[in-house]
Amino acid sequence: MSEEKYLQLNNGLKMPIVGYGTWMASEEEITFAVNEALKVGYRHIDTAPVYLNEKAIGNILKEWLSEGKINRSDIFVTTKLPPPADRLDLVELTLRKSLEDLQLDYVDLYLIHTPFTVVLDEKGEFKRYEDGSIVVDPRTDHAAIWKEMEGLVAKGLIKSIGISNFNLKQIKKLMEHCTIQPAVLQIEHHIYLQQPELIDYCKSVGIAITAYSPLGSKGVGALNKMVGVERELPDLFDVPEVKKFAEKYNKSPAQVLLRWIVQKGISVIPKSTNAKRMRENKDIFDFELSPKEIEQLNKLDANVRIVDFAFFKGVDKHPEFPF
C-alpha cells in the first residue's frame, strides 16, 4: 500500500501531499479551522492575500510556534502573488506584506496566483464594471515577474516558487526564460476535470502538481451569482462510482476522491471548517484503490471546470484563456 505522505520537489525540498486549503472561509471560521487542522496533524497550509485570512492564519501559527507546539521546519506554508500585483514594482512589496501578516520570515512556496492581472481603482480596490464584475488586464509579463520571484528566493524570503492556473502554453513559455524552474503547479483537478496532457508534461519536467477544489467547490456558485452567472455545478459526492467505492472501503466519498488523486502522485488541499470532515480528509492512507478502480474514475473526465473565473469580467476574452 502506498503510504507516501510527501512530494519531493525539484529543488530537493519536501511538500506534504495532503494540505489544508483556506479559500472562502471567514476570519472567525479560519481561526478555528487552522487551529483544528494543526491539532489533527496537517502541516501544509495553503492561503493567499485574496482569501483575506493571512492575518488570522498568522496569529494561529505564531501561537503554535511561540508555545513550542511545532517548529518552523515542521510546517509548509504556501501563499500567492495576487492578481492585482502581477507588476514588477509590487512583487516584493506584496510578498513582504504576506510575511508580515503570516508573522513568518519566509514562506515555503510562493505561487503566481493567476496568469492574468486585474485592475485596481484609485482607492486600491478591484476596479469593477457596473454589474460588479472585476476588470481584467490581459497584459502580464510572466517572465519578468518570475525573475523578480527568483530574486526573492536568493534573499531567503521564499524556499520554492511556482505557478497557479497556468495553461500548458504559458508553462512552456515560462520554462524557456526561467533560471529557477517552477517547483509546483497548482490547478483545479478532480474526477470531472483531469487535464492529463498538462499533468503529464509537468511530471515529465519535474514540476509537482497540487490539486485545488479536489472535492468541487460549492462556494464558486455564490461568486458566480454576484456577477449574474447562473450554472449548475456538479456534486462529486453523488457520482455512482465514488459512492460505490466509498461503501466498499467504508470511507466517505471525499476520502475516495482524495485517495484517487494522491495515488497518482498529486498533492491535494481540501478545505473544510468542519472538524470531523477535516480529520476524514487527512485519513486516506489506510486504504488503496485498485488499478481498475483508478481507471474507472479516470474515465469520468468530462472537462468540466468549476472554477472558470466567470466572476472576473471578460476573462474569457484573454488571449491565452482557458487557464
Side-chain angles (χ1 to χ4, degrees):
M1 180 178 294
S2 174
E3 294 294 338
E4 182 55 59
K5 296 183 180 180
Y6 294 88
L7 286 185
Q8 184 85 35
L9 304 183
N10 56 26
N11 57 6
L13 300 179
K14 288 184 176 182
M15 178 176 70
I17 200 166
V18 178
Y20 181 69
T22 66
W23 184 37
M24 301 195 75
S26 69
E27 184 172 337
E28 181 179 357
E29 287 176 323
I30 215 63
T31 297
F32 164 79
V34 172
N35 189 57
E36 191 66 27
L38 291 171
K39 288 181 182 178
V40 171
Y42 286 89
R43 293 295 180 262
H44 175 183
I45 306 296
D46 180 274
T47 184
V50 297
Y51 302 169
L52 303 177
N53 58 25
E54 286 183 317
K55 285 187 177 180
I57 292 171
N59 288 335
I60 296 298
L61 292 177
K62 180 182 179 181
E63 177 185 324
W64 276 68
L65 290 166
S66 63
E67 293 181 3
K69 296 178 182 178
I70 52 173
N71 297 317
R72 177 62 184 91
S73 58
D74 295 332
I75 55 172
F76 190 101
V77 179
T78 299
T79 192
K80 308 172 186 77
L81 180 71
D86 283 343
R87 292 169 36 190
L88 296 183
D89 59 326
L90 293 180
V91 177
E92 183 167 349
L93 286 173
T94 304
L95 171 63
R96 288 188 180 275
K97 179 61 167 63
S98 287
L99 290 173
E100 178 185 341
D101 290 344
L102 291 166
Q103 302 182 61
L104 298 174
D105 296 325
Y106 67 89
V107 291
D108 300 271
L109 178 62
Y110 199 53
L111 307 175
I112 301 177
H113 202 158
T114 64
F116 59 86
T117 305
V118 300
V119 181
L120 298 181
D121 61 20
E122 60 279 0
K123 297 180 181 179
E125 300 174 348
F126 285 172
K127 187 173 183 180
R128 297 177 183 270
Y129 291 99
E130 290 183 1
D131 64 3
S133 53
I134 299 168
V135 180
V136 172
D137 182 352
R139 298 166 295 176
T140 305
D141 188 341
H142 299 142
I145 296 295
W146 192 257
K147 289 298 179 185
E148 288 292 309
M149 290 174 58
E150 290 179 335
L152 298 177
V153 174
K155 290 182 178 182
L157 301 177
I158 308 169
K159 295 293 186 182
S160 305
I161 50 179
I163 47 184
S164 179
N165 298 302
F166 276 51
N167 62 30
L168 185 57
K169 179 179 179 181
Q170 292 166 330
I171 297 170
K172 287 183 175 180
K173 185 176 180 180
L174 183 62
M175 290 285 285
E176 294 174 358
H177 300 283
C178 65
T179 299
I180 299 176
Q181 184 174 307
V184 175
L185 169 67
Q186 187 176 121
I187 53 170
E188 178 180 346
H189 179 72
H190 46 73
I191 54 173
Y192 283 163
L193 183 70
Q194 299 185 27
Q195 307 192 73
E197 182 182 5
L198 177 61
I199 289 175
D200 287 347
Y201 170 77
C202 286
K203 287 188 173 184
S204 73
V205 296
I207 300 174
I209 303 293
T210 294
Y212 73 73
S213 297
L215 308 177
S217 182
K218 295 181 180 179
V220 172
L223 287 177
N224 287 342
K225 286 181 180 179
M226 287 173 56
V227 296
V229 175
E230 295 279 355
R231 72 184 183 94
E232 186 175 348
L233 298 177
D235 184 347
L236 305 186
F237 295 173
D238 200 39
V239 175
E241 290 88 344
V242 173
K243 292 167 68 176
K244 181 176 69 174
F245 300 153
E247 182 177 353
K248 173 182 175 181
Y249 292 106
N250 194 29
K251 291 289 182 178
S252 70
Q255 289 171 310
V256 169
L257 292 167
L258 295 173
R259 182 67 198 185
W260 168 74
I261 296 174
V262 165
Q263 274 188 226
K264 297 195 294 183
I266 297 172
S267 71
V268 291
I269 46 171
K271 172 252 176 178
S272 176
T273 55
N274 178 286
K276 179 177 180 291
R277 287 196 290 270
M278 290 166 64
R279 287 181 172 84
E280 287 180 349
N281 290 345
K282 194 174 183 298
D283 182 24
I284 58 171
F285 294 97
D286 60 352
F287 78 108
E288 185 171 344
L289 297 170
S290 71
K292 182 177 179 181
E293 290 165 345
I294 291 285
E295 185 57 30
Q296 284 181 266
L297 295 178
N298 289 349
K299 291 179 179 178
L300 297 175
D301 190 10
N303 198 33
V304 174
R305 190 177 296 273
I306 294 173
V307 185
D308 62 358
F309 299 103
F311 41 88
F312 287 113
K313 181 73 172 182
V315 70
D316 58 334
K317 303 298 191 297
H318 191 288
E320 296 174 342
F321 184 84
F323 314 119

